[in-house]
Amino acid sequence: DGGITQSPKYLFRKEGQNVTLSCEQNLNHDAMYWYRQDPGQGLRLIYYSQIVNDFQKGDIAEGYSVSREKKESFPLTVTSAQKNPTAFYLCASTKLGTSKQETQYFGPGTRLLVL
Amino acid sequence: AQTVTQSQPEMSVQEAETVTLSCTYDTSESDYYLFWYKQPPSRQMILVIRQEAYKQQNATENRFSVNFQKAAKSFSLKISDSQLGDAAMYFCASLPRGSNYKLTFGKGTLLTVNP
């Protein structure tokens, strides 16, 4: 089946620890995105990438890092510099150069909790 | 900067009835896209409907339709013949053309469907 997978579903972080959230897609999509969702809030963009080995900061990039070594994968690292990481994290992707390139499709999300 | 406002934090509807969710947006762009996404308790974000701003005709997808008022910057979602499975958080989002596909989300409306 084609789709976007995120792992793990739940993740626990200790103080001072870096953790990495996985996002993989087999849709042959070009662009990938990371969003953060807090209770009572909409989604906010953390980072996005339109091409391998290139990515841009979104609105709330501080305390996060990403890499895009493969077209299918866009992992997000939550560093110890992120002081309030507890949130729900959603990955999305889209196929560029098509009539529906503006439409983003989402993975199932990862819930990150701080111990 | 884009802003999206959903003025109804919560709405409820009786099964088989019709409900309208409100959304207003602010943009200086002349060409953009508008979306409604649904987030059920599983928290997966699902695209409900998409509207291109240059198209006068309101988009429809089965029981879902929009009332797009470009001059008023209004983009409401109408759900007809509501079903229990429609219960979810609904997010309105905007995306200017040529914005590197950066979506801006509202804070959401929680829809309850009563049997």
Side-chain angles (χ1 to χ4, degrees):
Chain A
D1 289 351
I4 304 170
T5 57
Q6 291 186 241
S7 61
K9 188 173 182 179
Y10 297 96
L11 185 58
F12 299 91
R13 194 192 92 164
K14 296 179 181 178
E15 293 289 336
Q17 185 181 42
N18 293 352
V19 292
T20 297
L21 285 61
S22 170
C23 178
E24 305 272 337
Q25 53 93 7
N26 61 4
L27 300 168
N28 196 32
H29 282 183
D30 307 283
M32 298 184 74
Y33 309 80
W34 274 105
Y35 293 90
R36 169 177 171 145
Q37 185 178 25
D38 294 284
Q41 301 289 325
L43 280 64
R44 294 183 290 167
L45 182 65
I46 305 172
Y47 268 98
Y48 65 102
S49 168
Q50 294 185 298
I51 194 170
V52 173
N53 293 323
D54 187 45
F55 46 83
Q56 286 77 40
K57 293 181 179 179
D59 300 320
I60 55 165
E62 186 175 351
Y64 300 97
S65 66
V66 293
S67 63
R68 187 88 186 275
E69 297 178 1
K70 298 186 301 182
K71 186 177 182 179
E72 303 79 18
S73 178
F74 191 42
L76 173 74
T77 296
V78 184
T79 75
S80 57
Q82 173 49 244
K83 297 306 179 188
N84 185 23
T86 295
F88 188 62
Y89 291 86
L90 285 155
C91 178
S93 69
T94 189
K95 180 68 176 172
L96 301 179
T98 68
S99 61
K100 295 287 180 71
Q101 64 185 354
E102 296 79 15
T103 301
Q104 295 182 17
Y105 297 91
F106 287 80
T110 292
R111 177 80 171 141
L112 176 60
L113 297 168
V114 176
L115 297 177
Chain B
Q2 307 277 309
T3 60
V4 176
T5 302
Q6 294 179 248
S7 59
Q8 307 153 316
E10 297 184 24
M11 291 282 286
S12 64
V13 63
Q14 291 295 125
E15 196 175 3
E17 297 294 311
T18 295
V19 64
T20 298
L21 309 184
S22 301
C23 173
T24 58
Y25 60 93
D26 191 17
T27 179
S28 56
E29 304 291 333
S30 58
D31 196 7
Y32 51 89
Y33 300 83
L34 297 165
F35 305 85
W36 279 98
Y37 280 91
K38 167 185 176 181
Q39 188 177 42
S42 67
R43 303 200 74 174
Q44 172 98 44
M45 292 287 283
I46 302 165
L47 177 68
V48 175
I49 202 163
R50 171 182 181 269
Q51 175 81 41
E52 298 171 53
Y54 67 86
K55 288 188 177 179
Q56 302 268 355
Q57 188 174 5
N58 289 327
T60 62
E61 286 287 343
N62 301 314
R63 297 182 294 106
F64 299 87
S65 61
V66 299
N67 183 5
F68 175 45
Q69 301 289 328
K70 191 171 185 179
K73 296 183 178 178
S74 171
F75 183 61
S76 60
L77 175 70
K78 185 172 82 171
I79 306 174
S80 303
D81 186 26
S82 296
Q83 301 176 359
L84 295 178
D86 294 333
M89 198 76 168
Y90 285 82
F91 292 95
C92 179
S94 71
L95 189 154
R97 186 188 288 271
S99 67
N100 289 329
Y101 312 103
K102 291 169 62 177
L103 278 168
T104 298
F105 286 86
K107 294 187 176 183
T109 297
L110 180 62
L111 178 66
T112 302
V113 180
N114 300 311

